[in-house]
Amino acid sequence: MVNLYKNFSKAFCVERIKIKNTGTLITAIILAVMIPIIVTGFMLYNLKSFQEELKTPVSIFESLFDSCISGTLGFSLPILLIITAARVVQIEFKNNTFQLMETQPLHKFSIYFGKFAVILYLYFISLICFFAVHALCSTLIYAAATDTENLTLAYDFSGNAILFLRIFLGSLFVTTIIYVFSIKFSNFIISILIGFALLMAKPILEMLGKLPKWYPFKLLTNAKEASDFGYWITYSEVLSVLASAILLYIGYQWYSKKSFKNAFLNSTKKIVTTVLVLGGLFALFFWVLSPKQTLSSDKTRIKGTFTSENKSDRVYLIDAIVSDTIAQTTVKDAAFDMIITQDLPLGTYLLRFDDTFQKEIIMGKNDLVELEVHIEGGELKAKVNGSRLAENNTITSVNFMPSVAFFIDEMSFKDNTQLLEDRFTTEYNDEIKNISSSYTTDNYVPRQDFMDLKKKELTVKFLNLYTAYQEKYKLYYPDKEQPNFKIIKELKEKVGFSERNLLSNAEYSKYFKAAIIAKDTSAVDENTKYIQAINKLPATDFKERLLAIQSNTMLREANSSAQMDTIYGVYKNLIQSEKYQKFLKSNYENYKRLSKGTSAPSIDATDASGKKYQLEDFKGSYVLIDVWATWCGPCKQESPKFEQYANNNKKANIKFVALSIDKKIDDWLIDVKNKKSKVLQLHADNYKAFTSAYQIMGIPRFMLIGPEGNIININLPQPSDANFEEILNSAIK
Amino acid sequence: MTENIIEIDHLNFSFNKYKKVLDDLSLHIPKGSIYGFLGQNGAGKSTTMRLITGLINQQNSSNIKLFGAPIESQIPYVFQKIGSIIETPTLYLHLSCLQNMEIIAQIKQADKTQIQDILKLVELDNVQNMKTKQFSLGMKQRLSIGMALLGNPELLILDEPVNGLDPQGIIDVRLLLKKINKEKGTTILISSHLLAEIEKTCTHVGIIHQGKVQFEGKLEDLKNNAQSQTIRIKTDKVEHHIAKLNAIDIAYTAFSDSELELNVISEASIPEVLKKIVLADIPVYSLIKTGGLEDWFMNLTQKDNG
């Protein structure tokens, strides 16, 4: 063993002599530091605007890093590895010196791994240069900055050390592939082509959604995603090392015995050894590759740390639908811990801090949720961990529009139902697969119950689409037989009619309602049918919840205060439990308060120059308010139409106001400064007071206040809606 | 009895099943000898060298022994005692002469001082910092020999070391090898297709033809074994003297109209034969020795080709 080590050291020493005069080291270093230098150039050129965009203190090292890391990991480091590995091996082939080396007292092991080691040695130096140049450039930018109010020189040593380790280990797979191919094929162009082909293929595969989890270049880029558990290395680095071990084993045996047969198949002993070694490595590889799931806990518990720029000492766990407080606790020494005794069904809940900030979390019974919460700069930042790690950290969104929906809407395939059925079935199956495919940086996936829930949500969505299609088909072809998709039977079996966890899902409500009133062929309206059907259900929390949700919908859609009274009366008698009674009452009061004719609550706002406004200031004209925020995409789409409408109606006695509810006024100020607007741009002074008074649950929201200060319509359709103008005009008359 | 530093016993080898490259080959290279491995191009010399140095793998290598033990068990550490050049000099062209030497010195753990001594010996010390890319073929050859000498090997295996050298270069290498052999007792195995060179350099010879060993042993023995010396005499018209030649009982052939070829037993009997010719009144205008080793060698290799 010692002799082998000595022998290997000799080989490594000699390899370092061989790379002299080749330019390999300098090329590697240039590739490594290329991107930081270029990005620094850009940052220095745009220094002023960069400084202005900083709202909270940020480390210059972090800032520069974020700009460089993707390009470096995805582009310059891979190229560095391909070129260096191929080049080092080429030195030997070009001079035909393999035979010189093989007639020296050098073990084949030393020759093979000595060369590999020198490649790693070059890579190591290049990475050090990358980090060094990054640090230097950051200090350069800091020195050049004129306003360092929001710029710090905080260097995260341990974080960067971990990153270095992860990048190095994550790169092994790529390095080994190129190395093994270079040794096998004396023409170095082949290995360079293979490397580049694999690199180019990555974005293409990604786009097609077919990039394997263990793809060599992906394992490299995974390094920038921090581990959820704060581990120094994640499954990604382990996979890289294992894959390298497999390739190096095969490559070395093949090289040392010269032929494939000699290396692996020659004798029983060899076959057995090969099978054992490779079998073991592959087994380990697949075990690491398989996703993990968190285990449930023995208590239902939420705990964590909490720091805030505001004074706050209470944390509330709220039911997402009925806004009921399920549990609460106080914050002591910047930490909180609450144990929930009631049975919590799996779903989305809200954790409320500071009375204004909330964080959505997914949890259920016997789940432990751990959070690190910071409120600064008017924003809530939280890191979530615990027994629902994957659920809270990956996007298993079922909130998208399937392409089949578009086809059904447009009735694109009305003449070819088979084609539509095929597309429907294929898209459904693909999306089901997608649900199981998202994972965290530590290779955790959501637990089975959560995935089942998401699958049900998806199934319901498709079932509703199918119903919509059938209805449309009836309209187009009243005489023809309705189409029957084979897969529907299977879908219907997947979703039941007492899925409590799905009640918050709009699609499920729609589905449930349609199913439950299907048998009722009487002449009354849908909503009456629905209440009657619900009433027939056994008295359970599920029934209560249904009644509560339906009551809210009815109240929201009511046209007059009197109608609201009626609805309240009806549901008051139906709902049994105190909790849901409270919910009903508070909704009723809120909606009534905001019903047509009632006096509009006061609004305090400020314009960009600092001038104060109040809603009362506009008495005498109609006020049309566009409630929006800089971070709201749909708002930004509606605002131009709002402006256009304002432009076209300059003569009318309407005051057009765009009211921002950005929590960070600076965001709004920047946005407004760059905008040339014909409408009055205001920012709400008190986010909480305003949104609560007007029950703003989502934006954009358009509200019309009359000249007397009374509410005309608290929730107009959006300007892009065809009805907008009509409703507006009729309201004004 | 001196031990054999290389011993090959009944080696058979083929690259594919159609052609046997080496047929029941046996070689014995005694310690301290300069052994010439002689054969035509394509006879199997390089293949044998590659097998000896383990560059070609073969199934059961127990037929090849180095230093008394099978090669398989000794590779690669046996190379500490061996310096070799197989086919062409292999050097790192992008490195200097000195750097190439340093690489081998590092591997063989040779003393740094040895590098300079050897460079002086092969007369490359004044160009040691020049990139080998710029070396002439002769310089490359000399450097390769120098590299093979690092670490004081007991055995040198040189495949056609004078290939491509000019006459002076050939002489230089020959003298160098003889010097090393004499001063250090290094066993040297040289392969070549130049009989003249082998004759001048080697103490032992092994002749290979179409994969088979035709002769192996000391050079003197070879010379002795090379049957019949012939002398060629230029005279006037041969046909005039046929009767006289028959009378003095000398075997002859007419090489041409005016030249006679006479067989003699050995060099020692030439004066006597000449005397007989002269006394028989046959004019002798010139006399040259022909045949000998070269002829024998040509005969040998043409035997199977003919």
Side-chain angles (χ1 to χ4, degrees):
Chain A
M1 241 330 132
V2 181
N3 281 335
L4 188 59
Y5 174 72
K6 278 203 199 140
N7 200 269
F8 167 79
S9 312
K10 279 196 309 194
F12 179 67
C13 237
V14 156
E15 288 296 330
R16 283 175 48 210
I17 301 178
K18 288 184 204 170
I19 55 176
K20 288 188 186 174
N21 300 341
T22 55
T24 319
L25 179 58
I26 197 72
T27 312
I29 293 180
I30 289 177
L31 282 168
V33 304
M34 191 170 81
I35 289 191
I37 291 183
I38 294 175
V39 171
T40 304
F42 268 116
M43 281 185 99
L44 285 173
Y45 187 68
N46 293 321
L47 195 54
K48 199 146 177 284
S49 55
F50 166 66
Q51 282 172 173
E52 278 171 13
E53 277 169 17
L54 297 172
K55 314 259 177 46
T56 51
V58 73
S59 158
I60 181 61
F61 294 106
E62 242 180 74
S63 200
L64 181 59
F65 213 88
D66 289 338
S67 316
C68 296
I69 195 67
S70 296
T72 304
L73 292 183
F75 181 74
S76 51
L77 287 185
I79 294 185
L80 190 168
L81 286 169
I82 296 172
I83 292 181
T84 306
R87 191 80 183 76
V88 165
V89 178
Q90 190 217 6
I91 292 174
E92 215 75 58
F93 278 115
K94 197 163 93 160
N95 292 298
N96 195 18
T97 38
F98 267 113
Q99 91 183 7
L100 176 65
M101 287 294 112
E102 287 165 13
T103 50
Q104 300 298 325
L106 279 180
H107 218 283
K108 289 248 169 70
F109 179 90
S110 306
I111 300 176
Y112 196 80
F113 287 101
K115 227 176 261 305
F116 187 68
V118 92
I119 295 172
L120 294 184
Y121 162 80
L122 289 168
Y123 189 54
F124 187 85
I125 296 181
S126 312
L127 273 185
I128 299 247
C129 288
F130 169 76
F131 278 91
V133 166
H134 158 261
L136 272 165
C137 286
S138 305
T139 21
L140 183 65
I141 296 176
Y142 185 82
T146 48
D147 164 25
T148 56
E149 184 198 326
N150 277 328
L151 220 49
T152 69
L153 271 179
Y155 193 81
D156 181 8
F157 277 102
S158 62
N160 280 333
I162 292 177
L163 187 65
F164 184 97
L165 178 67
R166 291 189 61 192
I167 295 177
F168 190 78
L169 291 178
S171 311
L172 283 179
F173 193 7
V174 174
T175 317
T176 324
I177 291 180
I178 307 295
Y179 182 67
V180 165
F181 275 106
S182 300
I183 295 268
K184 201 75 220 118
F185 299 109
S186 55
N187 186 348
F188 79 114
I189 298 285
I190 294 183
S191 44
I192 289 193
L193 280 177
I194 291 177
F196 274 101
L198 287 175
L199 183 60
M200 296 298 141
K202 177 166 177 259
I204 299 175
L205 288 172
E206 251 170 337
M207 208 166 60
L208 294 172
K210 295 219 185 296
L211 188 70
K213 209 158 149 186
W214 46 262
Y215 200 75
F217 289 102
K218 179 165 198 293
L219 297 184
L220 217 186
T221 53
N222 280 348
K224 68 175 186 285
E225 312 292 340
S227 158
D228 301 313
F229 299 107
Y231 293 156
W232 282 33
I233 55 179
T234 67
Y235 79 99
S236 180
E237 286 76 46
V238 177
L239 282 181
S240 176
V241 170
L242 287 173
S244 302
I246 292 172
L247 283 177
L248 284 173
Y249 178 81
I250 298 175
Y252 169 62
Q253 295 296 343
W254 201 337
Y255 166 72
S256 110
K257 304 290 190 288
K258 298 274 179 231
S259 85
F260 190 81
K261 207 172 110 186
N262 275 349
F264 304 109
L265 307 174
N266 222 344
S267 69
T268 326
K269 181 162 169 238
K270 271 196 198 146
I271 298 179
V272 170
T273 326
T274 308
V275 167
L276 282 177
V277 171
L278 286 182
L281 286 173
F282 268 109
L284 207 56
F285 183 85
F286 283 113
W287 180 77
V288 174
L289 188 62
S290 64
K292 312 283 175 283
Q293 289 173 324
T294 44
L295 297 170
S296 61
S297 163
D298 53 348
K299 289 201 187 59
T300 316
R301 185 173 176 191
I302 304 176
K303 68 193 255 271
T305 60
F306 176 68
T307 59
S308 167
E309 56 196 5
N310 311 325
K311 268 213 288 204
S312 166
D313 65 348
R314 293 206 82 84
V315 183
Y316 302 88
L317 179 65
I318 315 264
D319 180 313
I321 310 271
V322 296
S323 302
D324 186 47
T325 304
I326 301 172
Q328 55 177 290
T329 187
T330 46
V331 179
K332 287 197 197 80
D333 297 324
F336 62 92
D337 190 342
M338 67 174 124
I339 296 186
I340 294 110
T341 45
Q342 42 174 285
D343 250 7
L344 225 55
L346 176 62
T348 310
Y349 296 88
L350 299 170
L351 262 188
R352 191 175 289 156
F353 306 89
D354 275 3
D355 287 337
T356 41
F357 293 97
Q358 17 196 65
K359 169 97 186 105
E360 262 185 23
I361 51 170
I362 298 174
M363 67 182 292
K365 184 171 169 194
N366 285 344
D367 276 325
L368 165 65
V369 178
E370 294 179 49
L371 303 112
E372 272 173 41
V373 185
H374 305 279
I375 298 182
E376 62 177 337
E379 222 178 74
L380 181 146
K381 294 196 181 104
K383 197 161 152 264
V384 187
N385 213 321
S387 63
R388 289 286 176 184
L389 170 69
E391 288 83 344
N392 282 305
N393 285 302
T394 60
I395 301 170
T396 328
S397 176
V398 201
N399 296 331
F400 63 93
M401 180 74 103
S403 58
V404 150
F406 177 74
F407 296 133
I408 291 175
D409 210 42
E410 302 281 312
M411 280 306 264
S412 318
F413 294 107
K414 58 181 183 289
D415 294 327
N416 192 345
T417 50
Q418 187 58 51
L419 192 57
L420 185 65
E421 179 177 353
D422 290 339
R423 289 232 174 173
F424 183 92
T425 312
T426 315
E427 194 171 358
Y428 175 74
N429 285 329
D430 283 345
E431 292 300 336
I432 285 282
K433 257 194 263 179
N434 273 346
I435 285 178
S436 328
S437 69
S438 61
Y439 53 90
T440 67
T441 49
D442 287 291
N443 202 14
Y444 274 81
V445 292
R447 303 212 310 249
Q448 199 53 49
D449 53 359
F450 181 79
M451 297 219 269
D452 288 341
L453 194 63
K454 287 290 153 194
K455 286 183 186 167
K456 285 188 185 162
E457 284 181 20
L458 183 77
T459 308
V460 167
K461 197 187 210 84
F462 273 79
L463 281 170
N464 283 340
L465 278 177
Y466 177 68
T467 312
Y469 174 62
Q470 283 194 314
E471 285 172 8
K472 264 215 156 104
Y473 196 84
K474 211 191 220 158
L475 286 176
Y476 272 75
Y477 304 111
D479 301 321
K480 274 205 201 169
E481 194 190 309
Q482 289 232 317
N484 227 325
F485 289 1
K486 292 189 225 28
I487 196 173
I488 295 300
K489 179 156 177 260
E490 185 192 316
L491 298 192
K492 283 195 174 164
E493 280 167 16
K494 288 194 178 162
V495 182
F497 293 108
S498 48
E499 307 274 3
R500 191 216 187 271
N501 293 352
L502 287 178
L503 278 179
S504 52
N505 182 284
E507 296 276 350
Y508 182 73
S509 296
K510 194 165 132 193
Y511 177 70
F512 180 82
K513 181 174 175 185
I516 204 172
I517 64 174
K519 299 231 174 73
D520 191 338
T521 48
S522 62
V524 295
D525 69 291
E526 238 182 37
N527 286 320
T528 315
K529 282 190 197 176
Y530 193 35
I531 298 183
Q532 289 174 350
I534 296 177
N535 244 344
K536 295 205 188 100
L537 294 174
T540 52
D541 179 75
F542 182 74
K543 174 182 175 183
E544 293 283 301
R545 210 168 171 77
L546 273 176
L547 287 171
I549 293 172
Q550 180 62 4
S551 71
N552 190 28
T553 312
M554 305 259 19
L555 283 170
R556 192 176 58 227
E557 288 171 4
N559 287 326
S560 69
S561 193
Q563 205 178 30
M564 285 187 206
D565 292 335
T566 322
I567 294 170
Y568 177 61
V570 166
Y571 281 92
K572 189 150 173 257
N573 291 330
L574 294 176
I575 293 177
Q576 309 295 329
S577 70
E578 194 191 316
K579 168 167 97 171
Y580 292 111
Q581 279 276 357
K582 242 178 41 184
F583 174 68
L584 172 70
K585 187 152 187 248
S586 97
N587 280 348
Y588 168 63
E589 283 168 2
N590 276 333
Y591 283 119
K592 198 134 191 270
R593 184 164 54 81
L594 295 171
S595 59
K596 185 168 174 188
T598 53
S599 178
S602 169
I603 305 176
D604 290 309
T606 317
D607 74 6
S609 63
K611 181 165 166 221
K612 293 266 178 224
Y613 286 80
Q614 282 192 320
L615 185 58
E616 290 70 32
D617 300 343
F618 303 113
K619 269 208 172 117
S621 15
Y622 287 89
V623 189
L624 182 56
I625 307 178
D626 169 8
V627 186
W628 70 292
T630 57
W631 45 260
C632 164
C635 302
K636 292 212 167 131
Q637 285 189 328
E638 292 295 329
S639 293
K641 300 191 178 104
F642 183 71
E643 299 249 347
Q644 196 179 44
Y645 188 78
N647 237 350
N648 296 340
N649 290 281
K650 280 197 267 245
K651 297 217 179 89
N653 184 23
I654 310 176
K655 193 76 192 162
F656 294 90
V657 177
L659 183 62
S660 152
I661 54 166
D662 277 283
K663 290 204 189 129
K664 303 200 293 187
I665 192 171
D666 293 322
D667 287 345
W668 174 71
L669 281 172
I670 291 174
D671 201 288
V672 144
K673 227 187 283 187
N674 297 334
K675 224 199 292 235
K676 281 192 180 22
S677 174
K678 293 256 158 49
V679 314
L680 180 61
Q681 297 283 342
L682 294 180
H683 177 263
D685 289 344
N686 192 330
Y687 172 84
K688 187 178 165 207
F690 172 67
T691 52
S692 135
Y694 282 87
Q695 290 288 294
I696 311 277
M697 298 297 168
I699 50 175
R701 171 86 90 90
F702 294 88
M703 317 194 290
L704 182 62
I705 316 286
E708 318 288 310
N710 52 304
I711 293 176
I712 298 182
N713 192 322
I714 207 70
N715 201 348
L716 284 165
Q718 294 176 357
S720 58
D721 191 315
N723 293 327
F724 174 74
E725 202 161 337
E726 197 189 306
I727 293 179
L728 189 61
N729 288 336
S730 64
I732 292 176
K733 293 292 180 283
Chain B
M1 160 150 173
T2 43
E3 64 204 79
N4 289 327
I5 235 176
I6 303 178
E7 216 170 271
I8 305 180
D9 276 314
H10 307 293
L11 179 63
N12 288 296
F13 183 79
S14 44
F15 285 111
N16 55 51
K17 61 179 175 223
Y18 302 111
K19 181 166 190 258
K20 222 175 188 179
V21 178
L22 298 177
D23 194 351
D24 199 38
L25 185 89
S26 295
L27 286 180
H28 311 86
I29 289 101
K31 183 166 173 187
S33 65
I34 306 182
Y35 191 102
F37 193 29
L38 185 60
Q40 278 182 313
N41 287 330
K45 300 194 301 296
S46 277
T47 310
T48 312
M49 304 291 238
R50 283 173 175 273
L51 283 163
I52 295 175
T53 51
L55 284 173
I56 301 178
N57 258 353
Q58 36 131 23
Q59 302 300 68
N60 50 338
S61 46
S62 52
N63 351 44
I64 305 183
K65 288 201 180 72
L66 290 176
F67 303 98
I71 50 167
E72 220 171 46
S73 60
Q74 300 182 76
I75 283 180
Y77 295 107
V78 72
F79 286 112
Q80 187 67 40
K81 302 193 268 195
I82 302 177
S84 65
I85 304 176
I86 309 290
E87 272 185 298
T88 51
T90 45
L91 308 166
Y92 293 99
L93 296 176
H94 63 286
L95 296 178
S96 73
C97 172
L98 180 60
Q99 282 168 325
N100 271 283
M101 290 290 278
E102 278 173 353
I103 286 178
I104 304 297
Q106 170 75 263
I107 295 174
K108 291 225 161 119
Q109 305 268 270
D111 217 30
K112 284 276 158 86
T113 52
Q114 218 185 74
I115 298 179
Q116 292 303 326
D117 291 339
I118 292 176
L119 284 175
K120 272 203 199 67
L121 189 63
V122 296
E123 289 173 26
L124 289 173
D125 51 322
N126 53 336
V127 291
Q128 55 183 275
N129 291 317
M130 192 155 88
K131 290 217 185 2
T132 48
K133 207 174 358 200
Q134 299 165 337
F135 273 16
S136 68
L137 180 57
M139 290 161 88
K140 285 187 187 159
Q141 207 86 301
R142 296 211 304 273
L143 176 55
S144 287
I145 295 175
M147 283 158 71
L149 290 174
L150 276 166
N152 285 327
E154 286 175 40
L155 169 63
L156 281 177
I157 300 176
L158 306 173
D159 189 1
E160 315 225 11
V162 296
N163 220 354
L165 292 184
D166 62 11
Q168 185 58 45
I170 294 178
I171 294 173
D172 289 339
V173 169
R174 188 198 318 148
L175 293 176
L176 175 61
L177 292 177
K178 286 177 110 150
K179 182 173 172 191
I180 295 166
N181 175 257
K182 187 161 164 213
E183 286 177 8
K184 303 202 176 140
T186 315
T187 312
I188 306 179
L189 169 61
I190 310 180
S191 78
S192 183
H193 55 275
L194 302 170
L195 174 61
E197 199 41 44
I198 298 262
E199 268 189 284
K200 291 186 190 126
T201 322
C202 302
T203 60
H204 291 68
V205 162
I207 299 181
I208 182 171
H209 180 62
Q210 288 187 336
K212 290 199 185 63
V213 172
Q214 306 294 340
F215 171 83
E216 185 185 40
K218 294 210 180 98
L219 190 60
E220 301 130 32
D221 295 344
L222 178 63
K223 285 190 179 165
N224 290 338
N225 267 4
Q227 304 135 15
S228 67
Q229 282 267 49
T230 46
I231 50 174
R232 198 182 297 156
I233 296 177
K234 189 159 193 276
T235 180
D236 56 11
K237 273 203 169 329
V238 166
E239 42 193 32
H240 289 165
H241 309 297
I242 292 179
K244 286 180 219 161
L245 285 167
N246 286 333
I248 54 176
D249 191 25
I250 289 180
Y252 69 90
T253 43
F255 190 70
S256 71
D257 283 354
S258 56
E259 282 169 304
L260 282 169
E261 270 204 350
L262 307 173
N263 286 350
V264 291
I265 307 169
S266 67
E267 198 180 64
S269 50
I270 294 181
E272 210 189 289
V273 170
L274 185 58
K275 211 161 145 190
K276 280 197 192 152
I277 300 279
V278 167
L279 288 176
D281 267 340
I282 299 171
V284 175
Y285 294 108
S286 79
L287 181 151
I288 55 171
K289 277 198 313 199
T290 58
L293 202 53
E294 196 174 316
D295 248 16
W296 178 85
F297 184 61
M298 294 271 78
N299 282 339
L300 177 73
T301 54
Q302 270 160 24
K303 210 171 29 182
D304 304 305
N305 294 344

